[in-house]
Amino acid sequence: MTIRINNLSLALEDDINLLKEKAAKKLNISTKDIENFKILRESIDARKKDNIKFNYSVELSCKKEERLVNRCKNKDISFLEEEVHEDLVMGNKRLSHKPIIVGMGPAGIFAGLLLARKGYNPVIFERGEDVDGRSKTVEHFWKSGELNTESNVQFGEGGAGTFSDGKLTTRIKDRRCDFVLQEFVKAGAPEEIAYSGKPHVGTDILKKVVKNIREEIKALGGQVHFNSKLEDIILKDKKVKSLIINDNEVPCEVLILAIGHSSRDSYEMLYKKDIFLSAKPFSIGVRVEHPQGFIDQAQYGKYANHPKLRAADYRVAYSDKNLNRSVYSFCMCPGGEVVAAASEDKRLVTNGMSYHKRDKENANSALVVSVTPADFQGDSPLKGMDFQRHYETLAFKVGGGNYHAPLQLVGDFLKGNTSKKLGKVTPSYRPGWNFANLDQCLPKYVVDMLKLGLEQFDKKIKGFAMEDAVLTGIETRTSAPVRIDRNEKGESISTQGLYPTGEGAGYAGGIISAAVDGLRIAEEIIKKYNNSVR
């Protein structure tokens, strides 16, 4: 049996080796009696700026565990319950063709990894480039403003998360989360992500991780094809019969559709095929940039720049009962940069990105306002997508028509003035920016909520609404505007053999939850089919 101890704390100046001593003291045993010791969770407690601490949960084993735990009678000490998992039993149905996965973001990668390990030899098609080629293409866009609509920040190996902060936090409670983190570590991510309270890898390490997992899939018998776009799904009697990939027909019986939240042409194709879709809520807004030093000072006080403390982050939110809307921070990137994230011609989108060290000058975050299908015009399930396109087109025009972003200082935004010169914050967005009024490319209710939010957030983090902070427009890809509805087995409610998964299907929101959803769908396929292809 294994013992779990919660709420162990270390001061900033303490050595990590003291943790085992503190655990032994809590159990009233010697450190020599501890046989195995592991950190389960580490978090920073910065509620008291003059006494910042690290909090830990640990697990350990020693002799006479049961007697020790019963004797202690401490709510922080318990047995670590071993999770009992049902064995994944392979189904009886025989496949006529290898399972196909379209999309190689987190959902597609982890579905492919599990299927490959179970001997199904999956075939993966990705419309964008492999991560190395994609990185060069994206960098070229950021320098020149020349967009590749098939390989960009949204499309390509690793998915949209590859050019982000690489956050590995999630609100879902699922045993598969630990599996995903462990696989990331095996593929090259730092070991600390397995226990950090706010794990992240950064875009630089994430690129290496996805490449290593891809190579494992191939070594196990899977196939991976880049620059391979899904153009059509051929149906017969409401069943998947084949796919059109780059004008070539590919037989298909089981399709895992992991297309990501920006595959708008794919949504349009699905709608024309009468595959059931529904509109869903999402959020839109802007990116805000502050000096990272200001955020560090606000969160850590006198301990800002302490060598043991990471670049500070924040999370803010405000709901207005009268307007019946919420405004909140999203995908906060400490020590990062605001990046051009367009995937369609003449439409402008921003996102945030950090490298693992998070050592850039600025902190940035999306500040976004909730929108619902009631805000969209029309009856089509694609109306949210059209809504996004409308405001991205406006942002492109307002920014100058060349993927330069519209930019406004917070002080001027609150006053309704066009900014004329920068202050202490230098914008990080590339390929360029132009001063403009952001109310020209956002709905009025979004602008109103952003102003209310900035005022409220300034009360929580004094100086958040500083005049010199930079707002860059616009952020629209917080989540998919469409859900590809599926049943409890993960199969489309209208089309047999189609398994929508991940963010693009409307069932995930981030790297970990998308990866978990991909695993869940792969498990359903394994439970239904065996791995002997006719």
Side-chain angles (χ1 to χ4, degrees):
M1 301 177 77
T2 304
I3 296 173
R4 176 174 182 143
I5 305 178
N6 295 326
N7 295 320
L8 292 174
S9 63
L10 294 178
L12 283 178
E13 61 271 17
D14 286 343
D15 188 281
I16 190 66
N17 293 321
L18 282 175
L19 196 58
K20 184 182 285 190
E21 294 180 22
K22 290 195 171 229
K25 185 176 181 180
K26 220 162 193 180
L27 288 171
N28 197 24
I29 61 175
S30 168
T31 55
K32 295 179 182 178
D33 295 326
I34 297 176
E35 297 173 354
N36 295 293
F37 186 83
K38 178 182 177 182
I39 297 174
L40 293 176
R41 191 69 67 216
E42 176 193 74
S43 61
I44 298 172
D45 183 354
R47 289 173 294 179
K48 295 180 179 179
K49 300 292 186 291
D50 61 343
N51 186 26
I52 294 177
K53 299 179 291 186
F54 287 97
N55 281 345
Y56 294 91
S57 294
V58 303
E59 70 172 63
L60 58 89
S61 60
C62 59
K63 295 177 181 178
K64 301 178 182 178
E65 291 103 333
E66 189 169 358
R67 183 172 65 84
L68 282 172
V69 171
N70 292 334
R71 185 185 69 190
C72 288
K73 294 181 181 180
N74 187 321
K75 65 179 183 180
D76 290 332
I77 301 173
S78 62
F79 288 115
L80 188 67
E81 296 182 8
E82 293 186 12
E83 294 186 7
V84 178
H85 307 312
E86 292 183 13
D87 290 334
L88 189 55
V89 178
M90 194 176 294
N92 296 319
K93 193 171 182 180
R94 196 171 182 184
L95 284 165
S96 298
H97 308 286
K98 296 174 183 178
I100 292 178
I101 300 168
V102 170
M104 206 174 177
I109 287 172
F110 275 86
L113 179 63
L114 182 57
L115 288 173
R117 286 183 178 175
K118 295 296 183 179
Y120 286 79
N121 300 329
V123 180
I124 304 177
F125 293 107
E126 165 58 53
R127 70 189 292 170
E129 297 168 286
D130 67 83
V131 73
D132 291 329
R134 181 187 181 199
S135 296
K136 294 176 183 177
T137 298
V138 168
E139 186 62 33
H140 177 73
F141 171 52
W142 288 344
K143 288 180 178 178
S144 67
E146 296 176 4
L147 175 66
N148 182 333
T149 57
E150 298 302 327
S151 188
N152 45 60
V153 168
Q154 307 297 343
F155 304 145
E157 184 177 21
T162 303
F163 295 93
S164 69
D165 184 57
K167 285 183 183 61
L168 302 177
T169 51
T170 180
R171 295 180 183 179
I172 66 171
K173 301 293 183 183
D174 192 297
R175 61 176 175 78
R176 300 174 186 86
C177 294
D178 288 337
F179 173 83
V180 173
L181 290 173
Q182 291 298 336
E183 291 302 319
F184 269 67
V185 172
K186 286 166 59 177
E191 291 187 9
E192 68 194 43
I193 68 167
Y195 59 80
S196 173
K198 294 180 178 179
H200 97 287
V201 293
T203 189
D204 46 344
I205 293 178
L206 195 56
K207 292 175 185 178
K208 300 173 185 176
V209 167
V210 298
K211 186 165 27 174
N212 288 337
I213 297 177
R214 175 237 295 169
E215 290 306 312
E216 179 178 348
I217 292 170
K218 289 169 62 178
L220 291 169
Q223 299 177 35
V224 180
H225 302 277
F226 297 108
N227 301 302
S228 299
K229 183 178 179 179
L230 172 66
E231 296 174 341
D232 200 1
I233 300 175
I234 308 302
L235 306 177
K236 183 177 181 181
D237 299 326
K238 296 187 177 180
K239 297 179 183 179
V240 175
K241 177 178 175 289
S242 61
L243 310 179
I244 303 299
I245 305 287
N246 292 352
D247 294 327
N248 297 311
E249 186 167 1
V250 180
C252 180
E253 182 179 0
V254 168
L255 169 61
I256 297 179
L257 196 64
I259 54 177
H261 59 40
S262 294
S263 293
R264 293 167 172 171
D265 48 2
S266 296
Y267 290 143
E268 290 170 330
M269 178 268 291
L270 296 173
Y271 183 53
K272 290 177 182 176
K273 308 296 291 191
D274 289 327
I275 293 170
F276 196 90
L277 312 173
S278 56
K280 61 177 284 293
F282 55 95
S283 300
I284 68 169
V286 296
R287 280 268 154 187
V288 61
E289 286 189 275
H290 297 91
Q292 181 61 48
F294 161 73
I295 301 298
D296 291 343
Q297 185 69 38
Q299 302 296 63
Y300 297 147
K302 67 179 182 180
Y303 291 107
N305 300 319
H306 191 284
K308 283 190 178 180
L309 293 174
R310 313 180 265 278
D313 61 7
Y314 60 82
R315 178 181 292 174
V316 288
Y318 171 69
S319 296
D320 189 279
K321 293 181 180 179
N322 294 326
L323 296 177
N324 195 29
R325 291 191 191 274
S326 298
V327 55
Y328 59 96
S329 58
F330 174 81
C331 187
M332 194 269 156
C333 298
E337 57 188 292
V338 178
V339 300
S343 58
E344 293 183 318
D345 282 328
K346 299 182 180 179
R347 296 192 174 107
L348 190 139
V349 186
T350 64
N351 194 15
M353 186 184 83
S354 298
Y355 295 101
H356 181 67
K357 289 184 177 180
R358 290 176 163 174
D359 56 359
K360 298 283 188 178
E361 181 179 351
N362 293 348
N364 78 79
S365 176
L367 293 183
V368 291
V369 176
S370 56
V371 294
T372 71
D375 296 312
F376 315 146
Q377 298 295 319
D379 297 324
S380 165
L382 304 182
K383 57 188 179 180
M385 187 181 79
D386 295 335
F387 176 92
Q388 290 176 327
R389 279 175 163 168
H390 172 74
Y391 288 102
E392 290 170 13
T393 300
L394 288 179
F396 180 80
K397 293 176 181 177
V398 171
N402 53 359
Y403 296 104
H404 286 205
L407 186 142
Q408 196 170 13
L409 303 191
V410 165
D412 293 318
F413 177 74
L414 292 172
K415 297 170 188 173
N417 298 330
T418 303
S419 301
K420 291 184 169 40
K421 64 177 182 177
L422 296 173
K424 65 180 69 172
V425 181
T426 301
S428 59
Y429 176 93
R430 294 180 291 160
W433 52 268
N434 289 303
F435 286 128
N437 279 19
L438 290 168
D439 60 9
Q440 295 178 339
C441 54
L442 288 168
K444 184 179 185 303
Y445 53 81
V446 170
V447 172
D448 291 344
M449 277 303 298
L450 286 172
K451 290 180 178 179
L452 283 174
L454 285 164
E455 293 169 357
Q456 294 297 320
F457 302 155
D458 195 68
K459 296 175 183 178
K460 183 175 181 180
I461 302 175
K462 194 62 181 174
F464 191 90
M466 64 172 68
E467 298 243 338
D468 289 350
V470 167
L471 299 177
T472 306
I474 63 174
E475 174 101 7
T476 57
R477 311 286 180 89
T478 55
S479 64
V482 174
R483 177 170 287 113
I484 309 171
D485 297 79
R486 67 190 191 194
N487 61 26
E488 67 279 359
K489 299 294 185 182
E491 197 168 23
S492 164
I493 63 173
S494 63
T495 308
Q496 188 175 326
L498 175 63
Y499 291 83
T501 186
E503 285 205 50
Y507 291 95
I511 293 172
I512 295 294
S513 62
V516 165
D517 199 53
L519 289 170
R520 190 182 293 119
I521 293 301
E523 289 169 6
E524 292 296 338
I525 290 168
I526 291 167
K527 287 188 284 188
K528 184 174 181 179
Y529 299 95
N530 63 46
N531 60 8
S532 58
V533 178
R534 276 182 280 209

